[in-house]
């Protein structure tokens, strides 16, 4: 599930990304972000640097036990999420309210 959240976060910043599992064959020109499986790959090489920073920022985000409610579907999300895991809506509005 976490890999899908990373992809959603990347696409939120207009970086198309794909999820590959360990057995998938990567296309030429793709660059893997992580060594953990499954892997998140950017579609365009020119997005790699920016995408890597976004993933790095995501990975560095401290774990917070607090939760915030999605403004769209009201599902509870960890406070460090930028996007609702359930419906994909941005959580910034909820962050500002708390
Ligand atoms: Zn939601």
């Amino acid at each position: 599930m976490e890999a899908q959240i990373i992809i959603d976060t990347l696409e939120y910043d207009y970086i198309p990304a794909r999820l590959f599992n360990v057995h998938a064959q990567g296309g030429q020109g793709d660059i893997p972000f992580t060594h953990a499986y499954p892997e998140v790959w950017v579609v365009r090489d020119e997005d790699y640097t920016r995408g890597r920073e976004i993933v790095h920022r995501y990975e560095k985000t401290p774990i917070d036990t607090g939760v915030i409610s999605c403004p769209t579907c009201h599902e509870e999300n960890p406070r460090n999420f930028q996007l609702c895991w359930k419906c994909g809506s941005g959580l910034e509005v909820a962050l500002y309210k708390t």
Side-chain angles (χ1 to χ4, degrees):
M1 189 175 84
E2 184 175 86
Q4 186 58 52
I5 291 167
I6 290 174
I7 286 179
D8 290 344
T9 303
L10 289 168
E11 291 185 340
Y12 191 68
D13 283 321
Y14 307 104
I15 297 177
R18 281 176 290 171
L19 185 63
F20 283 92
N21 66 36
V22 60
H23 299 299
Q25 293 282 340
Q28 288 194 350
D30 291 331
I31 302 171
F33 273 151
T34 72
H35 296 295
Y37 301 119
E39 293 186 338
V40 176
W41 297 53
V42 289
V43 173
R44 301 179 304 217
D45 285 354
E46 59 265 34
D47 286 333
Y48 175 77
T49 302
R50 198 160 63 94
R52 192 70 191 84
E53 287 171 2
I54 291 168
V55 173
H56 191 62
R57 200 161 62 227
Y58 172 83
E59 290 173 342
K60 278 177 61 181
T61 304
I63 302 299
D64 193 321
T65 54
V67 295
I68 52 177
S69 294
C70 173
T72 302
C73 71
H74 307 294
E75 186 66 37
E76 284 191 346
N77 287 267
R79 188 180 291 273
N80 61 317
F81 280 21
Q82 294 179 356
L83 298 171
C84 175
W85 66 266
K86 188 175 185 184
C87 72
S89 294
L91 296 172
E92 289 89 341
V93 174
L95 278 171
Y96 287 127
K97 281 200 296 192
T98 54

